[in-house]
Amino acid sequence: MAATLNISQKDLFIEEISKEEIRIEETIVAVEKNEVFNAGLVKIINLSSLPFAWFPVANFLPPLLIMLFTKEKSQIVKQIVSLQIFVAIISPIIFMIVAILKLGSPSVMITMILLVLSNVCIILKNAYEIDRKQVLYYKLNFSMI
């Protein structure tokens, strides 16, 4: 067999991975990372938090329920829900810190308004980026679900 292939017998026993095989494997990994999802449904899931932006403790419930009922469990939807859960956790903490500092009722009201506006901006910017590039502009480096 070695004589037919014009190589030494020693080379027959050495296992080598050709560069072509490595490229093919890398391509497969890249294809697996490109997740297919319904962009329209993802936008609806993202925008479903908007009516509850004023009540951060419940703003993650509509996207979570839509995700569960439609069975759209792509990574981008999980990031949307995780981001809203994070906002639901961090907003009351910020609000309580401002209230405990006793800076006065104008500062408490301003804090509430800024927290709601920041959540609205996050939702709208993510909806815009989903529409344009099918990615999230604001996302966490981890997933809570």
Side-chain angles (χ1 to χ4, degrees):
M1 186 177 198
T4 307
L5 295 173
N6 294 328
I7 58 173
S8 69
Q9 289 179 352
K10 189 177 184 182
D11 290 338
L12 284 177
F13 295 112
I14 298 175
E15 219 178 289
E16 289 186 20
I17 299 175
S18 67
K19 291 182 181 179
E20 271 184 38
E21 290 177 24
I22 293 173
R23 285 190 202 131
I24 291 170
E25 289 174 8
E26 288 174 356
T27 305
I28 292 170
V29 171
V31 170
E32 289 173 358
K33 288 182 181 179
N34 292 336
E35 192 174 16
V36 178
F37 58 88
N38 182 349
L41 181 59
V42 171
K43 279 194 297 186
I44 289 170
I45 291 171
N46 180 51
L47 291 172
S48 68
S49 293
L50 210 50
F52 293 98
W54 61 273
F55 189 53
V57 177
N59 66 352
F60 68 92
L61 291 176
L64 181 65
L65 293 174
I66 294 171
M67 179 187 83
L68 293 175
F69 287 128
T70 61
K71 295 183 173 85
E72 178 69 45
K73 295 182 180 176
S74 61
Q75 191 60 34
I76 193 166
V77 173
K78 289 178 181 179
Q79 275 295 316
I80 290 169
V81 175
S82 294
L83 182 63
Q84 290 303 320
I85 291 172
F86 182 75
V87 169
I89 292 169
I90 204 75
S91 293
I93 292 171
I94 293 171
F95 178 75
M96 293 305 291
I97 289 171
V98 170
I100 289 172
L101 292 176
K102 296 182 182 179
L103 301 173
S105 25
S107 64
V108 171
M109 185 60 82
I110 290 170
T111 303
M112 285 178 18
I113 292 169
L114 288 176
L115 289 171
V116 170
L117 288 178
S118 64
N119 194 16
V120 169
C121 288
I122 289 170
I123 294 168
L124 293 177
K125 182 64 177 178
N126 276 343
Y128 178 72
E129 290 297 320
I130 291 168
D131 194 38
R132 284 188 55 229
K133 302 177 187 173
Q134 282 76 38
V135 296
L136 292 176
Y137 188 80
Y138 297 107
K139 59 184 175 183
L140 302 174
N141 291 332
F142 56 91
S143 179
M144 292 186 172
I145 54 170

